[in-house]
């Protein structure tokens, strides 16, 4: 059974940085496109950034130039470096496949950007 565990969230001031990590219990990363998603209460889950097994990346327009997704297949992990954070980045962040698998949603990690 695969589990995805997100970590690294927290409270940060506008303009600050955070680095999120996602670790999988199973070896699902090696051949799959992975992504970070985020969700604000009352809104649909949004795909923030994705990365293929070969390392090609895509970003939502709202985070281009500020966020960087990376992966380490040997560690079954993906990461999201978030710089120049804005209050509108406040959300719960999740990792999952692309397209997502309902059964793989973890608890997520809360990111709050506030002064």
């Amino acid at each position: 059974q695969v589990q995805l565990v997100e970590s690294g969230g927290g409270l940060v001031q506008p303009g600050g940085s955070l680095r999120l990590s996602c670790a999988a219990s199973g070896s699902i990363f090696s051949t799959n496109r992975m992504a970070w998603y985020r969700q604000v209460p009352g809104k649909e889950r949004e795909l923030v950034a994705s990365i293929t097994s070969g390392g090609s990346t895509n970003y939502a327009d709202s985070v281009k130039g500020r966020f960087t997704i990376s992966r380490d297949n040997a560690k079954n992990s993906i990461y999201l470096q978030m710089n120049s954070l804005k209050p509108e980045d406040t959300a719960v962040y999740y990792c999952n496949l692309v397209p997502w698998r309902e059964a793989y949603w973890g608890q997520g990690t809360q990111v709050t950007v506030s002064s």
Side-chain angles (χ1 to χ4, degrees):
Q1 183 178 355
V2 173
Q3 285 187 316
L4 297 171
V5 180
E6 302 90 351
S7 62
L11 173 63
V12 63
Q13 292 186 344
S17 299
L18 284 173
R19 185 175 187 252
L20 306 184
S21 298
C22 169
S25 60
S27 57
I28 65 170
F29 288 130
S30 60
T31 59
N32 286 291
R33 184 179 174 199
M34 300 295 301
W36 284 96
Y37 301 82
R38 66 186 180 187
Q39 189 168 27
V40 176
K43 294 188 177 181
E44 291 189 357
R45 200 163 282 171
E46 172 191 18
L47 193 155
V48 174
S50 67
I51 185 167
T52 66
S53 57
S56 296
T57 58
N58 276 289
Y59 298 91
D61 287 343
S62 58
V63 306
K64 279 182 181 177
R66 301 188 297 121
F67 290 9
T68 302
I69 188 172
S70 60
R71 66 190 293 160
D72 186 337
N73 291 337
K75 295 183 178 180
N76 288 341
S77 295
I78 64 168
Y79 308 95
L80 187 67
Q81 177 66 44
M82 306 187 295
N83 298 328
S84 302
L85 282 161
K86 303 176 180 180
E88 51 263 43
D89 295 319
T90 296
V92 179
Y93 285 71
Y94 304 86
C95 60
N96 208 317
L97 277 62
V98 179
W100 71 57
R101 304 290 190 272
E102 189 64 35
Y104 290 176
W105 290 119
Q107 295 298 309
T109 186
Q110 175 72 48
V111 172
T112 302
V113 184
S114 175
S115 55

